[in-house]
Amino acid sequence: MGLLVISITASLSIGSHMLHPATLPNLLMSYHSLDSADAALLSLRLPRTVLGILAGMALGVSGCLMQNLTRNPLSDPGVLGINAGALLAMALGAGLLGLTDWHIYAAVAFLGATLAALGVHAIGFVGHPPLIPLRLTLAGVAMNAVLGGLATMLILLDAERFDRVRGWSTGAIAVADFTVPVAIMPFILVGLALAFLSVRGLNALALGDELARAMGVRVRRMRLVGGLAATLLAGAATAGAGPIAFAGLMVPHIVRPFAGADERRVLLYTALAAPSLLLIADTAGRVVLSPAEMPAGIVMALVGAPVFIAILRRRSGFS
C-alpha cells in the first residue's frame, strides 16, 4: 500500500513541470476551478493516474489468475495473445466500423480478448496430456504474433483512419479527461469481483485438479469464472490503455516472496503492486526523454523482456 501511495504521488508530481507533493492536497481540492497553472496541470495528470491504477490492477490480477488457473508461471494477458485480440477488435471497430463510444470500445475489446483466449486454450489443450504449460505459452505467442500482425497491417494500410488505434498500440495511459477511466471502470469492477469470488479455491487448485476436487473445489466452474474474470480485466485494460505487456507476468513473481505460499495473498498483493509498477513506468517515461514522452507500454516492455527471460531460464525444467 505504501508503494502505491508513493507511485500515485510521483505520477501526480513528476513531469516536464514539477509539482511539490506538499501542495497536492490543496490542488486536488481546487483543480476544477483551474485558477492556477499548477491546478490546470494536475487536471491533466489526474485522469492518467486513475487510468494507470485501473489498468495496472486489471492486468496484474488477470495475469495472477491465469498463472494459477493454468498452473503456468509464464501466463500473462500479453503472452497468451489476449491483449492482441483486444487490440485487433478495437482496430476493426474504430477503423472499419467508425466506433467512437468508449463504452462500446470496452465491450468490443472484451469480445476480441475472449475470442483470442478461446483460440489459445483450444490449441493449448489439444493433445495428451491435455494441459502442458509450455504448449499453452507457445500457442499464446503464436496467437499474439498473428493478431498483432493483423492489427499492425490494418494501421499501416490506412494511417489516417487508424490514427487513434496507433496511439493505443504503444500502450500509453496519457488521457485528457476522465472519459476513458469512467468507461472501462464498470468492466474492471465486475472483473475484480469475479476474481475475488474465485480466490478461495486457488490454494487447492495449486495442488492439482484431483486434490482440489477431493477438497470440494468445483474445478471446472472455478476455471470458468476465473477465466471470465481474467479475460474481462485484460480486455477492459487494453481498451483503455492499449496492449501493455508483462504487467501481469512480472508482478505475481515479484510479490510471491513477500506474500508466501497463500495464493489469495499473492492475488491481493498483485492488485496493489501492479498499478504501482505501471505508474512508475509511466512516470519514468515522462522524464527519460524529456520534454518528449516514452509511452508506459514501451517502458514496461523494456523492463519486462529481461524479467521474462529470467523466469523462463529459472523454469526451464517444467513441461
Side-chain angles (χ1 to χ4, degrees):
M1 181 62 73
L3 179 61
L4 181 58
V5 172
I6 292 172
S7 63
I8 291 173
T9 302
S11 178
L12 295 175
S13 303
I14 298 175
S16 57
H17 178 73
M18 303 291 290
L19 296 177
H20 196 285
T23 66
L24 290 178
N26 290 333
L27 290 174
L28 287 171
M29 296 296 294
S30 61
Y31 83 96
H32 277 299
S33 62
L34 302 180
D35 56 357
S36 70
D38 287 348
L41 183 61
L42 184 64
S43 71
L44 295 176
R45 291 182 184 169
L46 190 57
R48 74 188 292 173
T49 300
V50 173
L51 178 58
I53 294 171
L54 291 173
M57 188 175 295
L59 292 171
V61 171
S62 177
C64 187
L65 276 177
M66 290 179 183
Q67 291 174 14
N68 281 280
L69 294 176
T70 63
R71 300 200 302 278
N72 179 2
L74 300 181
S75 287
D76 165 80
V79 175
L80 294 186
I82 294 177
N83 287 354
L87 177 64
L88 177 60
M90 290 172 62
L92 293 172
L96 299 183
L97 303 180
L99 300 179
T100 57
D101 190 308
W102 279 100
H103 295 84
I104 300 178
Y105 277 140
V108 169
F110 171 62
L111 177 61
T114 301
L115 294 177
L118 291 175
V120 168
H121 283 79
I123 298 171
F125 277 79
V126 171
H128 183 79
L131 178 59
I132 296 180
L134 182 59
R135 187 167 63 210
L136 195 66
T137 301
L138 293 176
V141 170
M143 185 69 71
N144 187 63
V146 171
L147 298 182
L150 289 174
T152 302
M153 180 187 70
L154 290 174
I155 294 172
L156 293 177
L157 285 176
D158 194 337
E160 182 177 353
R161 178 183 294 182
F162 293 93
D163 181 62
R164 296 181 70 184
V165 182
R166 186 168 61 248
W168 291 324
S169 66
T170 62
I173 65 172
V175 289
D177 54 39
F178 284 101
T179 301
V180 177
V182 169
I184 67 172
M185 186 180 295
F187 295 89
I188 291 178
L189 291 179
V190 172
L192 290 174
L194 291 174
F196 284 97
L197 280 176
S198 63
V199 74
R200 294 180 58 185
L202 291 180
N203 288 332
L205 192 64
L207 302 175
D209 288 6
E210 295 301 325
L211 283 177
R213 291 190 183 96
M215 297 171 67
V217 176
R218 297 182 179 180
V219 174
R220 182 172 297 180
R221 187 177 71 174
M222 181 181 170
R223 280 209 169 98
L224 178 63
V225 174
L228 177 63
T231 305
L232 184 59
L233 290 168
T238 303
I244 297 177
F246 298 117
L249 172 66
M250 292 189 296
V251 178
H253 291 281
I254 293 173
V255 304
R256 193 162 273 116
F258 304 97
D262 190 342
E263 295 298 334
R264 295 170 297 182
R265 295 181 63 187
V266 173
L267 189 68
L268 178 60
Y269 284 25
T270 298
L272 296 175
S276 304
L277 181 63
L278 183 55
L279 288 177
I280 290 171
D282 179 57
T283 304
R286 298 180 209 170
V287 299
V288 69
L289 296 178
S290 182
E293 289 191 10
M294 181 183 295
I298 295 178
V299 177
M300 291 291 292
L302 293 175
V303 175
V307 174
F308 179 80
I309 294 172
I311 295 172
L312 188 62
R313 286 175 60 85
R314 192 175 67 213
R315 299 279 184 166
S316 60
F318 73 78
S319 60

